[in-house]
Amino acid sequence: MWPNISAAPFLLTGFPGLETAHHWISIPFFAVYVSVLFGNGTLLYLIKNDHTLHEPMYYFLAMLAGTDLMVTLTTMPTVMGVLWVNHREMSHGACFLQAYCIHSLSIVESGILLAMAYDRFIAIRSPLKYTSILTNTRVVKLGMGAFMRGFISIVPVIVRLFSFPYCHSHVLSHAFCLHQEIMKLACADITFNRLYPVILISLTIFLDSLIILFSYILILKTVMGIASGKERAKALNTCISHIGCVLIFYVTVIGLSFIHRFGENVPQVVHIIMSYVYFLFPPLMNPIIYSIKTKQIQYGIRRLFSRENKYF
């Protein structure tokens, strides 16, 4: 009979063996978190206040930036708490809530990237019908659909976590809570919690990536049919930022999934690094990619800082 220690809090983990260096490790982490908050916050501010950016493409970009901000704000408190003050304890409810937000937002981001692919598909395949197809109402519906799919689909496995007894070690291997780690600490039948995420990922993230790939095949076919080389380059240039964000997101998702599923012999430090790359790299890079490759965003940033400089 397993001892009933379910009431004991979970214990988060920073970098095993490097506890004495956590304060130094926290410096680059804090810098990245601040950069993520500043970059995505700036995008949201620009899109809200610059009327030239009030177009479907930028509305979807705002949703992506908002999602990245939520991911950052979900993980930042516990990560910095562990690195700064070695605060490792986390109640079951708080841990389940964090896992719920983390996994839901991953599905939401995949859905938004899919919506952005649809936006680029319509813009290039049917430019004359673009504004009539992607009305503000339809953009809102697509965004709401992405958020609802993410936050509803993950509920079944998170709800089951509340009913499990936890009588194994309560030590988690990251400074945040992930469903796949929590369920392994349960002394119960976790077959559903093992199978459901596989099916869910196949029907959401994996399917989204296939649809995005197919949409770009059609986009490329359309672009190659354009007679002017200059117009072809212009059309493809509008997709480069989105392609970059798609590659960063799905490569990190696939990498983290493979590490967790098949990386039993991989050193623990690789698991930890891959997890942080997944949660920090896309939110950090997305605003940078759009700032570099999108002229309207560049103009908006210049106008913003030139306006701010007038006050000094």
Side-chain angles (χ1 to χ4, degrees):
M1 191 73 178
W2 291 102
N4 185 12
I5 56 173
S6 291
F10 292 114
L11 296 176
L12 305 175
T13 301
F15 290 85
L18 298 173
E19 286 81 3
T20 56
H22 273 182
H23 284 89
W24 293 106
I25 295 172
S26 71
I27 295 173
F29 271 86
F30 184 69
V32 171
Y33 273 124
V34 170
S35 299
V36 170
L37 295 175
F38 176 76
N40 289 284
T42 300
L43 278 184
L44 287 173
Y45 180 83
L46 283 177
I47 294 169
K48 177 180 181 295
N49 292 282
D50 192 333
H51 292 287
T52 63
L53 300 179
H54 289 182
E55 298 177 8
M57 173 182 172
Y58 301 108
Y59 291 148
F60 289 126
L61 178 57
M63 295 177 197
L64 184 67
T67 304
D68 286 338
L69 277 179
M70 287 189 282
V71 171
T72 302
L73 294 173
T74 297
T75 60
M76 182 179 179
T78 55
V79 172
M80 300 312 301
V82 170
L83 296 179
W84 273 343
V85 296
N86 196 35
H87 180 73
R88 297 180 59 199
E89 292 189 359
M90 196 168 187
S91 68
H92 287 201
C95 194
F96 300 157
L97 178 61
Q98 186 182 50
Y100 169 70
C101 291
I102 287 173
H103 295 296
S104 295
L105 290 169
S106 295
I107 298 174
V108 169
E109 182 145 351
S110 179
I112 292 173
L113 289 172
L114 175 60
M116 295 174 80
Y118 175 67
D119 168 78
R120 292 298 84 206
F121 174 78
I122 297 299
I124 293 175
R125 293 276 289 192
S126 306
L128 298 179
K129 298 180 180 178
Y130 178 69
T131 54
S132 61
I133 294 175
L134 278 175
T135 61
N136 289 345
T137 301
R138 184 159 293 174
V139 169
V140 170
K141 287 181 178 179
L142 288 170
M144 289 298 296
F147 276 88
M148 289 180 65
R149 185 186 69 161
F151 282 101
I152 292 174
S153 61
I154 205 69
V155 167
V157 288
I158 299 299
V159 168
R160 282 181 61 84
L161 293 178
F162 284 93
S163 64
F164 291 153
Y166 296 93
C167 42
H168 295 308
S169 167
H170 277 49
V171 179
L172 300 171
S173 59
H174 296 88
F176 43 80
C177 297
L178 297 175
H179 166 262
Q180 57 264 37
E181 285 195 338
I182 299 171
M183 71 176 184
K184 292 178 182 178
L185 304 182
C187 301
D189 182 5
I190 59 172
T191 302
F192 176 80
N193 285 63
R194 285 185 180 277
L195 295 178
Y196 183 86
V198 175
I199 297 171
L200 180 61
I201 290 173
S202 299
L203 295 177
T204 54
I205 293 177
F206 180 69
L207 184 59
D208 290 350
S209 64
L210 288 181
I211 296 173
I212 291 172
L213 176 61
F214 182 67
S215 69
Y216 270 104
I217 291 173
L218 294 179
I219 286 172
L220 186 60
K221 183 179 178 181
T222 301
V223 170
M224 296 308 292
I226 299 175
S228 169
K230 185 177 180 180
E231 289 299 317
R232 284 201 298 268
K234 183 178 178 181
L236 286 175
N237 192 55
T238 64
C239 301
I240 290 177
S241 298
H242 177 250
I243 292 172
C245 293
V246 166
L247 289 176
I248 288 173
F249 177 77
Y250 287 107
V251 167
T252 53
V253 166
I254 293 170
L256 184 62
S257 298
F258 269 88
I259 287 290
H260 275 292
R261 296 287 174 184
F262 310 109
E264 294 181 1
N265 298 321
V266 175
Q268 183 60 29
V269 67
V270 177
H271 286 261
I272 295 172
I273 291 173
M274 277 301 301
S275 295
Y276 286 117
V277 167
Y278 170 66
F279 290 113
L280 291 176
F281 194 58
L284 175 66
M285 292 305 299
N286 288 344
I288 293 175
I289 290 171
Y290 271 92
S291 298
I292 292 174
K293 296 303 298 180
T294 309
K295 290 183 179 180
Q296 290 89 333
I297 297 293
Q298 293 175 8
Y299 295 152
I301 292 174
R302 291 195 194 106
R303 285 195 296 269
L304 174 62
F305 282 100
S306 63
R307 189 166 63 246
E308 293 294 331
N309 289 335
K310 293 179 180 178
Y311 295 99
F312 294 95

